[in-house]
Amino acid sequence: SRDWDYGTMPTCDEPTKPSTEQYTYTFAGWSPEVVLVSGDATYTATYTSTLRQYTITFLDEDGSILSSRDWDYGTMPTCDEPTKPDTEQYTYTFAGWSPEIVAVTGNATYTATYASTVRKYTVTFLDEDGTTLSAQDWEYGTMPTCDEPIKPADAQYTYTFAGWTPTIVAVTADATYIATYNKTVNKYTITATAENGTVQGTGTYDYGTVVELTAVANDGYKFDMWSDDVTDNPRTVTVTENMAFTALFVLNGTTGIEDIHATEPAEKVLMDGILYILRDGKTYNVMGVEVGK
């Protein structure tokens, strides 16, 4: 405020108006417009305002920049939701920004956050013959299990579970395990009975063993045949199960069983390890002597 001569043009240095968080100001002139002095006058500074802008930066979880740009004061900044590639262990879903986004009042940085879910993989257990014992999803890092299978014994072998191939490890991907078995050869017993003699070669043997059986007659007797009509002596048998044989002997000087009553129908019956001949309702021993009277 000062005195100016009549007719002169008053002047004043342009004033400034401090910026606020929301606006910047630039001098726009005097109101009313300045004119030559013709009397006392008051002029008031006017300003134009410009909405301030601030830099908003969006970072991915690893610190890489997803977006960095200026936003007007009071606006709500946005950024496309990022994605995080799955790993063998986890799948990821976008969980939001940290800190929570608010309207712009200054420079700000937001960082993406993710929710993680442990991945699952299919683990299949197969029996030795390829049949499926179990097929289910297991979380990464867990140790899959399956009840031990049983393989029924067959005539030749007895089986015991030996483990899985390959060796079971913690889950990191889809996997298949196959049951393996140890096998033990089955043993079977060969027995023999003999009246008026003995049999050599009986005992317990592994499946598949070829055994020689020899019928040895007591004094005064001779070997006639085996109860299954085999006449070979010695005879060989292949062990496939428990087996029982009866050796039949006759007195020296007598005919064999096959010759007894050869001209008449006869039936052979083994009772308590002794062979008898049935004919016409009567029972005879191997010597042809009627018994049971």
Side-chain angles (χ1 to χ4, degrees):
S1 175
R2 54 169 284 196
D3 293 334
W4 291 82
D5 291 338
Y6 181 94
T8 58
M9 182 66 73
T11 61
C12 181
D13 293 337
E14 291 184 1
T16 59
K17 183 176 180 179
S19 297
T20 64
E21 287 186 346
Q22 186 171 7
Y23 294 107
T24 58
Y25 298 96
T26 56
F27 179 68
W30 300 99
S31 179
E33 184 179 354
V34 177
V35 294
L36 295 173
V37 174
S38 61
D40 293 337
T42 299
Y43 297 100
T44 302
T46 63
Y47 298 88
T48 58
S49 62
T50 301
L51 195 63
R52 292 188 68 176
Q53 289 189 326
Y54 293 93
T55 300
I56 306 300
T57 301
F58 290 89
L59 301 179
D60 208 348
E61 186 182 53
D62 61 2
S64 60
I65 296 175
L66 299 169
S67 171
S68 184
R69 51 164 288 201
D70 292 338
W71 293 78
D72 287 343
Y73 180 99
T75 57
M76 187 67 73
T78 61
C79 181
D80 291 339
E81 289 185 2
T83 59
K84 182 176 180 179
D86 295 341
T87 63
E88 287 185 345
Q89 185 171 7
Y90 295 107
T91 57
Y92 298 94
T93 54
F94 179 69
W97 301 99
S98 179
E100 184 178 354
I101 296 173
V102 295
V104 175
T105 58
N107 295 331
T109 298
Y110 299 100
T111 302
T113 63
Y114 298 89
S116 61
T117 303
V118 177
R119 294 185 67 177
K120 291 185 176 182
Y121 294 92
T122 300
V123 178
T124 303
F125 290 89
L126 301 178
D127 208 348
E128 187 181 52
D129 60 3
T131 58
T132 300
L133 300 169
S134 170
Q136 66 182 79
D137 292 337
W138 294 79
E139 286 188 346
Y140 181 99
T142 56
M143 188 67 72
T145 59
C146 181
D147 292 338
E148 291 185 3
I150 297 173
K151 183 175 181 179
D154 53 34
Q156 185 172 7
Y157 295 109
T158 295
Y159 301 93
T160 55
F161 179 69
W164 302 98
T165 183
T167 302
I168 296 174
V169 295
V171 173
T172 59
D174 292 341
T176 298
Y177 299 98
I178 300 173
T180 61
Y181 298 88
N182 292 324
K183 60 184 180 181
T184 303
V185 176
N186 292 329
K187 294 181 179 294
Y188 294 97
T189 301
I190 304 298
T191 59
T193 58
E195 185 176 0
N196 303 315
T198 59
V199 176
Q200 298 175 347
T202 60
T204 300
Y205 299 93
D206 287 345
Y207 178 98
T209 303
V210 177
V211 177
E212 182 177 88
L213 297 177
T214 302
V216 180
N218 291 342
D219 290 342
Y221 290 86
K222 64 180 180 179
F223 173 77
D224 185 40
M225 63 185 300
W226 301 93
S227 57
D228 56 359
D229 295 337
V230 174
T231 57
D232 294 340
N233 187 37
R235 68 178 293 182
T236 57
V237 294
T238 300
V239 177
T240 58
E241 59 184 345
N242 292 327
M243 307 173 77
F245 299 91
T246 299
L248 304 175
F249 302 90
V250 295
L251 286 169
N252 285 326
T254 63
T255 58
I257 294 171
E258 294 298 330
D259 297 323
I260 297 175
H261 308 297
T263 59
E264 307 243 1
E267 179 183 356
K268 290 177 289 183
V269 177
L270 186 65
M271 294 184 292
D272 296 329
I274 301 174
L275 188 67
Y276 296 93
I277 308 299
L278 302 180
R279 184 182 68 81
D280 297 331
K282 297 180 180 181
T283 303
Y284 302 86
N285 63 22
V286 294
M287 306 302 297
V289 178
E290 186 178 357
V291 297
K293 290 186 176 181

